[in-house]
Amino acid sequence: MKSAVVLVPGLNRDRDMIAALTKVSGQAPATLWQTETTLPEGLDLIVIPGGFSFGDYLRCGAIAARMPVMRAVADAAKRGVTVLGVCNGFQILVEAGMLPGALMRNTSLKFVCREVKLQVTNANTAFTRQYQPNQIIRCPVAHHDGNYFAEPEELERLEGEGRVVFRYAENTNPNGSINDIAGIMNASGNVLGLMPHPENLIESAHGGDDGRGIFESVLAKAA
Amino acid sequence: MIKARVTVTLKNGVLDPQGKAIEGALGTLGFEGVSGVRQGKVFDVEINGTDKAKAEADIKQMCERLLANTVIENYSISMD
Amino acid sequence: MIKARVTVTLKNGVLDPQGKAIEGALGTLGFEGVSGVRQGKVFDVEINGTDKAKAEADIKQMCERLLANTVIENYSISMD
Amino acid sequence: MISNDLAITSDLVASHGLKPDEYQRILDLIGREPSFTELGIFSAMWNEHCSYKSSKKWLRTLPTTGPQVIQGPGENAGVVDIGDGDVVVFKMESHNHPSYIEPYQGAATGVGGILRDVFTMGARPIAAMNALRFGAPDHPKTKHLVSGVVAGVGGYGNAFGVPTVGGEVNFDARYNGNCLVNAFAAGLAKSDGIFLSEAKGVGLPVVYLGAKTGRDGVGGATMASAEFDEKIEEKRPTVQVGDPFTEKCLLEACLELMASGAVIAIQDMGAAGLTCSAVEMGAKGDLGIELDLDKVPVREDAMSAYEMMLSESQERMLMVLKPEKEAEAEAIFVKWGLDFAIVGKTTDDLRFRVLHQGVEVANLPIKDLGDQAPEYDRPHVEPKKPAPLAANDIPQADIADALLKLLNSPDMSSRRWVYEQYDTLIQGNSLQRPGGDAGVVRVEGHASKALAFSSDVTPRYCEADPFEGGKQAVAECWRNITATGALPLASTDNLNFGNPEKPEIMGQLVSAIKGIGEACRALDFPIVSGNVSLYNETNGQAILPTPTIGGVGLLKDWDRMARIAFSGENQPILLVGAPQQWGTHLGQSVYLRDIHGRNDGPPPPVDLEAELKVGIFVRGLIERGVAKSVHDLSDGGLAVGLAEMAMASGIGATVPGLADIDPIPVFFGEDQNRYLVALDLDAQGSEFEALLREAEAAGIFAPWIGTTGGTDLKLGQARAVPVADLVNAHESWFPAFMEG
Ligand SMILES: Nc1ncnc2c1ncn2[C@@H]1O[C@H](COP(=O)(O)OP(=O)(O)O)[C@@H](O)[C@H]1O
Ligand SMILES: [Mg+2]
């Protein structure tokens, strides 16, 4: 699998993501600095990792979404390249208009870092094939603004089209997100944003590998 | 130099967790009869030049392209 | 019902990392001649009753006790 | 703008915290009256915070060397060898006064400062801890301080991207007027990639990098050394605001710059920013420094030389760069969006010269600024030893009720409310997150190595007996690290005390340092860095003496690591290192304080020889793979220790207790050098037998006190308590306090 990780100042889970992609695919991803306007040929996957791009100033992901590299990522997505945004990456995808809705401040108004349960609501996607439908997996979260919001019509569309891919399960919603939404995808099914951090749960040192399935699914698709 | 203030507020109907929490906290502090608390942002900016109309048009562009998320937010501009 | 808007801004001289980052981003987006960007907050509140003077006094208390961090922020109140 | 020619009156001198004899010393040194800027420079360099004038004499007595120590005190952080060419770089520092005034920003900039100390040395930060002390929970300011400080620690560390793996939180009315925020950070580097502050070479550019200079914290270092009084409000405008985003960019830029070979010397700007950093770089390298303030990037208009020299704006660095690498360096600064400027040069005249708007505003002997700082042997009185409790003075309580009450108390309850606001797993290497004995982080790029971190001190012990309390802080830190299976390598200390000009307070400081020194020597746990925070007093009321110890240990193979959770049912539990009656010492215990409202008696003494012996034995069990579940005993004794192991695992235990012995000291005594070890062995088997004999042969009392299993904790004759009830008591205090 040929993958690439987007780098914007303030992102800080880039190293975690690069390590996870390397361990799962056996190949280190390329990196894409914020100013780049052309992408390497033949990419199967572009990942926007978590962190605090531009300090989360203004709105989470707002400034990063307007950096040149994101135009190239949007073009690649239009051509069908698989794009995954995790945490701040999800916020950036939303701010870039590549996913609908908005991610608001957690209802507790506090940063929250803990493990939650996720339901794989749609196991028939490029990102979730390795899971069973409605399987419950463990996954850590670490964010301040993960409270997903969408207008009622938009929400209906997301739910109706099976584009809510992950949901917080067993009363573990950590942020007040509407319909317990933890991850959604675009209409073509090649762009996924999710708040939790699967890259931090892929090996025994992490205390489990429930997050691996996402990377393995994408890998299987690429193969 | 032209000074302007941009005010960005959440659209009606958009959930405002911060406003809600603040309303709750005001109640806890004993302030009664407070409702509808909504939190927004202001930006003070200074623009080179003296052409107010141009400055206002520029600031409108800044709002559309960066300062406001027009999916969930409204903005208004006031000039000195 | 009385409607009021509280505007909270950083005191002069207090570092505003957000303002700084936004100014940088505006530059990257090609807006020229923008400087002195400072970010603040607004709170819209509704107060029961009709006594404006009392409402204003109450809101002042809310600012002192919760809405503003008077160590580093100033506030101003405007009523409808 | 205040002119540099401002008349130097005795009031002005006094308002700079300089005593008349100290001012006389300045006059003697430079042979003339200082300018206003020079007075500011002296006040910054000679205040307690930078000069350690009250503590230096005693700090010198601490052990700071060992084969593992690469760099001891004297640089931004200590450096310790962990093999394979890797080193760990760490330090702890206080931000007490700023956090009391503005808790969020005070704590945030405290974290920022300590991270900078670590990466200035060339290390990438991999772990952070924070040791916090607040006033009584019912004091009107406490909640506000807790929520602000915790949010600030998280706000900075999370955005910067370092996992927070440990810390402490205590409440006591003695901190009502002065909270304590001690921040620890550790980073990883290669032994040949360490950077120091010593400038080398004449005529080389001195480069400023990072954020712009504002008026933040002008007078801040002076404030940190001043006792609070009612006029605290007036000191407010000196608050510094942290910008973790710029710090993260600064980290990446510095590491890239160091890798490029451009850096000769580097020093972060901390307290008294430009002044301290420039003087230190020059003085260490036996060079003069000339600064041109017109080149300094500023964010405010009309800043005077005085303000620029004393500004504590955050996220700034000073370096000496190789001139031929200038273009390469500049490209890195630009990439990371950082301000930079050549603000001066090194000279050969040993003068510290500052130019502003064409005028020389300061011209001082650079070495004297540090070397000639006053040093005091302040009068101190030996603290009185408290009388022991009478042998029959054992106030009674129901064991189960007392345990539940302790678990639900401010000091003993779960800190989950706090640490869930911290990113504890970023970087993907956290093997043990907060909640256990020590935080453990895997060493990236190595198959099996990991580092363990703990921060400890028991202030009520230090108040009762600073010498024993100092020993105990070191021993507990060492023990917590040992309990994971790691070998404790070295430590850092953060000495928080009241006003050293009072002989009783100075007596506490001196005794605590003696105790710390003795324990560090006995346990081969040298102090490689640290910080002193004095004058933690308000209206004459001092804090409890709080010498925080931060320690680092090395696990050779994290596959052989112990955790506090029971690892299975039907495992025999040993109480390793216990006295014959399992527990005896109630003086200064939380049982006496929180159940009976008493704080008398001496603290438990630490037998350092036994501590070492027991620790080595326990580590041996972990390394052999028979002990996966280990917990040291501290506050709350055996009962609380067992409860914590049960709660962490959801597995109960039955501990029958001793016949004919009062169960209160058995279960709540706080005797030192004890561990609970649950063995992955059959209690009927020969291996278990052999292990017990081994302990005996080593002269270690390690009775088999009970067995894991079930869903209740059964202590002696007391009623069985469901583990779920323990968890409920333990988890509910903090959220109820903060959200109630
Ligand atoms: N209590 C202490 N024990 C040992 N070393 C100390 C202690 N306090 C300070 N030091 C050392 O003195 C030096 C100066 O400390 P400090 O001024 O706090 O450092 P920085 O300038 O990096 O903030 C450092 O090397 C520090 O490690
Ligand atoms: Mg412990």
Side-chain angles (χ1 to χ4, degrees):
Chain A
M1 174 175 64
K2 205 164 163 198
S3 63
V5 171
V6 172
L7 300 182
V8 176
L11 288 181
N12 59 20
R13 263 190 169 74
D14 49 331
R15 296 161 63 84
D16 306 41
M17 189 57 81
I18 290 169
L21 288 168
T22 308
K23 280 174 187 161
V24 177
S25 74
Q27 200 186 330
T31 54
L32 306 173
W33 183 242
Q34 58 168 344
T35 50
E36 281 172 44
T37 48
T38 51
L39 306 183
E41 290 295 309
L43 282 181
D44 301 304
L45 171 68
I46 301 172
V47 184
I48 312 172
F52 290 71
S53 57
F54 293 95
D56 269 1
Y57 300 144
L58 185 58
R59 296 178 307 275
C60 301
I63 299 178
R66 288 151 181 87
M67 290 301 119
V69 70
M70 284 309 296
R71 193 166 302 160
V73 172
D75 289 343
K78 273 193 208 115
R79 292 195 311 268
V81 176
T82 307
V83 177
L84 170 65
V86 169
C87 200
N88 197 212
F90 185 9
Q91 294 160 342
I92 293 170
L93 288 173
V94 165
E95 276 283 346
M98 294 172 66
L99 289 172
L103 288 149
M104 322 273 296
R105 187 54 45 108
N106 297 347
T107 46
S108 66
L109 304 191
K110 291 199 288 285
F111 186 93
V112 56
C113 177
R114 67 164 77 116
E115 189 172 297
V116 299
K117 294 285 171 55
L118 292 182
Q119 183 190 46
V120 184
T121 321
N122 184 348
N124 185 25
T125 77
F127 305 91
T128 51
R129 266 184 246 285
Q130 304 285 316
Y131 298 109
Q132 301 303 312
N134 295 322
Q135 184 180 341
I136 306 280
I137 63 170
R138 299 162 47 210
C139 200
V141 297
H143 61 249
H144 208 158
D145 299 77
N147 182 352
Y148 185 76
F149 171 86
E151 301 283 354
E153 318 82 74
E154 186 66 58
L155 196 61
E156 213 170 294
R157 194 163 1 176
L158 282 172
E159 294 282 4
E161 293 172 3
R163 287 162 55 197
V164 173
V165 181
F166 292 100
R167 234 187 267 284
Y168 302 109
E170 299 176 4
N171 295 315
T172 60
N173 183 339
N175 52 36
S177 183
I178 197 163
N179 290 9
D180 294 325
I181 287 174
I184 57 166
M185 63 181 185
N186 67 347
S188 343
N190 66 326
V191 177
L192 175 77
L194 92 159
M195 282 316 293
H197 288 286
E199 75 276 21
N200 285 141
L201 197 64
I202 60 144
E203 54 185 317
S204 66
H206 295 158
D209 61 0
D210 287 19
R212 227 183 152 91
I214 293 180
F215 304 104
E216 283 173 346
S217 297
V218 178
L219 192 62
K221 182 188 168 245
Chain B
M1 178 88 75
I2 298 170
K3 291 190 178 194
R5 169 167 285 184
V6 174
T7 307
V8 175
T9 50
L10 282 175
K11 288 185 178 166
N12 276 337
V14 175
L15 167 91
D16 178 10
Q18 311 202 56
K20 219 178 95 196
I22 291 164
E23 193 170 307
L26 287 172
T28 312
L29 289 178
F31 293 103
E32 274 158 37
V34 183
S35 62
V37 178
R38 305 279 285 171
Q39 179 168 340
K41 295 173 199 159
V42 292
F43 303 95
D44 290 323
V45 298
E46 294 169 14
I47 310 257
N48 262 350
T50 50
D51 182 344
K52 280 208 173 185
K54 176 171 180 314
E56 183 154 2
D58 279 355
I59 295 175
K60 193 160 182 307
Q61 276 301 310
M62 293 178 207
C63 289
E64 291 285 336
R65 292 185 51 202
L66 182 71
L67 299 179
N69 176 354
T70 51
V71 177
I72 51 171
E73 293 171 331
N74 293 320
Y75 62 87
S76 68
I77 301 169
S78 76
M79 320 269 294
D80 251 9
Chain C
M1 179 87 75
I2 298 170
K3 292 190 177 193
R5 169 166 287 184
V6 174
T7 307
V8 176
T9 50
L10 281 175
K11 287 185 181 170
N12 270 338
V14 175
L15 175 74
D16 179 9
Q18 308 217 54
K20 206 178 95 190
I22 293 164
E23 193 170 306
L26 288 171
T28 311
L29 290 179
F31 293 103
E32 275 159 34
V34 183
S35 62
V37 178
R38 305 277 284 172
Q39 178 167 346
K41 296 175 198 154
V42 292
F43 302 95
D44 290 324
V45 298
E46 294 169 14
I47 311 256
N48 262 349
T50 51
D51 181 345
K52 279 210 175 185
K54 180 175 177 314
E56 181 154 0
D58 279 356
I59 296 175
K60 193 160 179 310
Q61 277 301 310
M62 293 177 206
C63 289
E64 291 286 336
R65 292 184 52 200
L66 183 71
L67 300 180
N69 176 356
T70 52
V71 178
I72 52 175
E73 293 171 333
N74 292 320
Y75 62 87
S76 67
I77 302 168
S78 74
M79 321 268 295
D80 250 11
Chain D
M1 194 192 296
I2 301 179
S3 150
N4 195 43
D5 303 328
L6 190 70
I8 309 296
T9 64
S10 55
D11 278 357
L12 189 65
V13 170
S15 73
H16 279 77
L18 291 162
K19 301 277 153 71
D21 56 324
E22 293 175 338
Y23 183 62
Q24 187 56 49
R25 195 181 175 96
I26 294 175
L27 295 178
D28 294 346
L29 268 180
I30 65 174
R32 61 177 165 80
E33 189 175 76
S35 71
F36 180 49
T37 304
E38 288 175 338
L39 182 68
I41 290 173
F42 270 109
S43 83
M45 292 300 300
W46 285 14
N47 77 19
E48 192 65 58
H49 191 80
C50 289
S51 71
Y52 293 90
K53 59 191 170 193
S54 303
S55 57
K56 217 190 280 179
K57 170 176 162 60
W58 300 101
L59 293 179
R60 274 195 214 106
T61 67
L62 291 170
T64 59
T65 55
Q68 72 275 39
V69 178
I70 292 181
Q71 174 68 57
E75 281 291 333
N76 287 297
V79 182
V80 173
D81 191 4
I82 58 168
D84 308 305
D86 297 320
V87 297
V88 57
V89 177
F90 63 94
K91 183 171 186 241
M92 180 153 40
E93 190 153 86
S94 64
H95 230 208
N96 303 335
H97 293 73
S99 301
Y100 190 78
I101 293 168
E102 212 312 277
Y104 184 97
Q105 295 297 345
T109 50
V111 172
I114 195 66
L115 288 167
R116 221 150 41 240
D117 274 334
V118 165
F119 70 77
T120 302
M121 305 226 23
R124 181 179 282 279
I126 56 151
M129 298 193 283
N130 60 113
L132 314 177
R133 321 277 158 185
F134 300 103
D138 58 5
H139 186 272
K141 273 198 85 121
T142 300
K143 240 198 249 191
H144 162 75
L145 290 171
V146 174
S147 80
V149 164
V150 170
V153 169
Y156 206 102
N158 299 346
F160 178 83
V162 65
T164 298
V165 299
E168 299 177 86
V169 185
N170 281 156
F171 298 90
D172 192 288
R174 292 277 293 281
Y175 302 105
N176 280 353
N178 299 79
C179 62
L180 301 185
V181 175
N182 295 173
F184 168 101
L188 274 182
K190 289 288 173 192
S191 54
D192 57 1
I194 293 293
F195 288 80
L196 302 178
S197 55
E198 176 189 334
K200 289 187 195 120
V202 175
L204 296 184
V206 174
V207 177
Y208 171 115
L209 175 63
K212 288 185 167 67
T213 297
R215 291 190 173 87
D216 320 55
V218 171
T222 317
M223 173 180 81
S225 303
E227 204 176 309
F228 277 2
D229 56 30
E230 299 295 355
K231 277 183 284 177
I232 191 165
E233 306 292 314
E234 289 174 15
K235 292 174 179 158
R236 282 180 162 185
T238 62
V239 168
Q240 315 144 29
V241 171
D243 180 359
F245 168 61
T246 295
E247 178 113 326
K248 164 78 167 143
C249 294
L250 196 55
L251 160 74
E252 301 299 343
C254 284
L255 295 184
E256 276 187 32
L257 210 56
M258 288 164 172
S260 79
V263 179
I264 296 173
I266 176 164
Q267 173 66 31
D268 71 301
M269 295 193 222
L274 205 45
T275 295
C276 277
S277 53
V279 169
E280 197 163 328
M281 289 175 86
K284 279 198 180 142
D286 284 323
L287 293 169
I289 299 272
E290 183 182 300
L291 293 181
D292 180 359
L293 297 185
D294 300 326
K295 305 273 170 51
V296 171
V298 291
R299 62 162 213 272
E300 293 186 63
D301 294 336
M303 287 190 65
S304 67
Y306 177 93
E307 289 168 324
M308 282 193 241
M309 291 311 291
L310 296 193
S311 165
E312 297 195 343
S313 291
Q314 301 288 300
E315 294 93 20
R316 301 179 300 161
M317 294 276 186
L318 207 58
M319 9 188 146
V320 177
L321 294 183
K322 290 189 188 143
E324 68 272 20
K325 295 270 189 180
E326 231 171 84
E328 200 174 331
E330 185 173 335
I332 294 171
F333 304 152
V334 169
K335 172 182 171 192
W336 290 100
L338 296 167
D339 274 296
F340 71 97
I342 296 175
V343 295
K345 60 171 191 272
T346 57
T347 64
D348 62 1
D349 61 2
L350 287 176
R351 303 295 293 181
F352 183 45
R353 254 189 263 265
V354 181
L355 308 173
H356 187 221
Q357 299 177 343
V359 179
E360 188 175 83
V361 293
N363 185 337
L364 297 169
I366 200 163
K367 297 206 61 116
D368 292 350
L369 280 169
D371 296 349
Q372 293 300 319
E375 183 179 329
Y376 297 119
D377 183 0
R378 295 201 187 274
H380 50 97
V381 294
E382 182 90 0
K384 281 199 279 301
K385 300 262 180 199
L389 303 181
N392 62 353
D393 180 7
I394 302 176
Q396 294 295 306
D398 179 83
I399 300 256
D401 290 345
L403 174 58
L404 285 166
K405 186 167 174 197
L406 288 182
L407 293 177
N408 191 240
S409 69
D411 274 355
M412 305 292 293
S413 56
S414 163
R415 271 57 187 134
R416 186 181 305 277
W417 185 92
V418 174
Y419 63 71
E420 282 194 347
Q421 295 185 56
Y422 302 151
D423 198 328
T424 51
L425 47 81
I426 186 161
Q427 299 187 8
N429 295 315
S430 303
L431 301 172
Q432 290 202 42
R433 293 155 66 183
D437 281 332
V440 182
V441 170
R442 169 164 81 143
V443 174
E444 210 167 270
H446 192 278
S448 64
K449 269 192 306 197
L451 293 168
F453 304 94
S454 180
S455 140
D456 299 273
V457 58
T458 312
R460 64 180 190 283
Y461 293 174
C462 297
E463 169 79 4
D465 183 339
F467 177 76
E468 280 298 330
K471 274 168 64 186
Q472 194 276 341
V474 173
E476 184 174 346
C477 182
W478 189 88
R479 205 182 299 145
N480 276 315
I481 291 168
T482 302
T484 66
L487 174 69
L489 289 178
S491 56
T492 177
D493 63 341
N494 200 148
L495 307 176
N496 308 274
F497 289 81
N499 181 351
E501 293 164 41
K502 296 181 181 166
E504 318 77 68
I505 302 284
M506 196 61 209
Q508 292 177 338
L509 177 64
V510 170
S511 295
I513 291 178
K514 286 183 182 164
I516 291 170
E518 187 164 312
C520 288
R521 265 185 292 271
L523 299 173
D524 188 17
F525 200 37
I527 300 231
V528 299
S529 59
N531 179 241
V532 179
S533 170
L534 302 177
Y535 298 96
N536 292 288
E537 288 200 28
T538 297
N539 294 331
Q541 168 79 281
I543 57 161
L544 294 176
T546 312
T548 315
I549 304 295
V552 178
L554 177 66
L555 268 163
K556 277 182 295 198
D557 180 1
W558 55 263
D559 224 16
R560 295 282 169 92
M561 174 176 74
R563 302 173 183 270
I564 77 162
F566 289 137
S567 65
E569 307 239 349
N570 287 315
Q571 297 190 350
I573 304 169
L574 303 188
L575 178 55
V576 183
Q580 298 289 334
Q581 299 92 330
W582 297 9
T584 61
H585 191 101
L586 285 179
Q588 297 302 328
S589 61
V590 291
Y591 171 80
L592 273 195
R593 187 189 67 181
D594 293 348
I595 305 294
H596 297 286
R598 288 174 51 175
N599 50 14
D600 50 342
V606 179
D607 176 344
L608 292 167
E609 213 176 301
E611 186 76 59
L612 187 63
K613 190 166 66 177
V614 172
I616 290 172
F617 179 74
V618 169
R619 195 178 319 116
L621 298 182
I622 300 168
E623 282 171 354
R624 264 150 64 181
V626 292
K628 292 196 170 55
S629 165
V630 176
H631 187 22
D632 75 301
L633 292 190
S634 55
D635 288 340
L638 180 56
V640 168
L642 286 164
E644 286 167 345
M645 298 179 86
M647 291 186 292
S649 56
I651 298 173
T654 301
V655 176
L658 293 169
D660 304 325
I661 289 187
D662 190 322
I664 294 291
V666 168
F667 285 114
F668 293 112
E670 296 185 1
D671 306 66
Q672 298 293 300
N673 42 267
R674 296 184 298 165
Y675 298 79
L676 284 167
V677 176
L679 292 168
D680 211 353
L681 287 180
D682 178 2
Q684 311 307 326
S686 57
E687 208 181 336
F688 181 62
E689 239 341 70
L691 196 148
L692 291 182
R693 276 201 305 274
E694 205 181 302
E696 209 180 314
I700 294 168
F701 186 55
W704 172 20
I705 62 162
T707 305
T708 67
T711 55
D712 294 349
L713 181 62
K714 291 187 213 143
L715 302 180
Q717 304 303 308
R719 76 167 191 279
V721 184
V723 176
D725 292 1
L726 297 173
V727 170
N728 189 36
H730 193 228
E731 294 294 344
S732 58
W733 186 84
F734 225 112
F737 168 58
M738 291 308 296
E739 275 133 43

